Amino acid sequence: MAHEHLTADCIFCKIIRGEIPSYKIAETDKNYCFLDINPISKGHLLVIPKYHAEFFHQVPDEYLADLLPLARKVAIASGLEDGQYNVLQNNGPMAHQVVPHVHFHIIPKPNPEQGLVVGWPMQSVTQDELKETWARITNKL
C-alpha cells in the first residue's frame, strides 16, 4: 500500500504506516479503524482516512464514500446494532479536535454515565435569521 497522502509527523499517519502499534479492527484501501487508546467507554473506536487532512472538508470524496460504510460495519461487529452510540467528528481545536488528522469516533453509550456526554445549548433564532442562513449556504451550492 502506497502512503503518498500521509505526513511524516502525524501520529495517525504513523499508525497507518505501522510505525506505531494499534489495535486494528478493520481496514480498506482508503480507511483504517482501530481502538481508541483513551476510550470514554469500552469499545470506543476511531475510523480514519488513509489521507492526511486536518479538516473534514479537505478529505477527497473517494475516502469519505468508503469511510461511513466501514464505520457502520465495525459498529455492527462491535454489537452496537441493538444499543445506543455516538458517531462523532470534530474539526479544529475549538471543536475539541486533539489530533489534527480527520477521524470519526464510534462511541458506545452503555448507560447515562459512560460514553459521550453532550450539552446542547440551543439558541433562539428568528425566521428571518434562518432564511438568511439558508440563503447564504444554498447560494454556494
Side-chain angles (χ1 to χ4, degrees), residues 12-122:
F12 286 173
C13 291
K14 290 178 180 182
I15 288 171
I16 291 166
R17 285 193 302 269
E19 296 169 10
I20 295 176
S22 69
Y23 288 97
K24 180 174 78 170
I25 299 295
E27 99 180 278
T28 66
D29 288 344
K30 304 251 183 262
N31 294 288
Y32 189 91
C33 176
F34 58 103
L35 288 174
D36 192 314
I37 62 169
N38 295 304
I40 59 174
S41 63
K42 191 174 187 176
H44 182 164
L45 305 171
L46 296 174
V47 183
I48 62 175
K50 293 180 178 180
Y51 184 100
H52 183 82
E54 183 173 354
F55 300 104
F56 174 73
H57 63 272
Q58 297 170 334
V59 179
D61 288 348
E62 61 267 23
Y63 291 83
L64 295 175
D66 181 73
L67 194 143
L68 284 180
L70 177 60
R72 181 185 63 200
K73 181 179 180 179
V74 298
I76 291 169
S78 297
L80 299 176
E81 73 273 13
D82 293 328
Q84 297 185 49
Y85 61 97
N86 296 92
V87 176
L88 174 69
Q89 198 279 316
N90 302 320
N91 291 278
M94 283 194 303
H96 307 285
Q97 182 182 18
V98 176
V99 177
H101 182 122
V102 170
H103 53 287
F104 287 74
H105 296 262
I106 301 173
I107 307 167
K109 186 70 176 163
N111 58 54
E113 293 78 34
Q114 294 179 320
L116 186 63
V117 178
V118 178
W120 204 270
M122 291 188 284

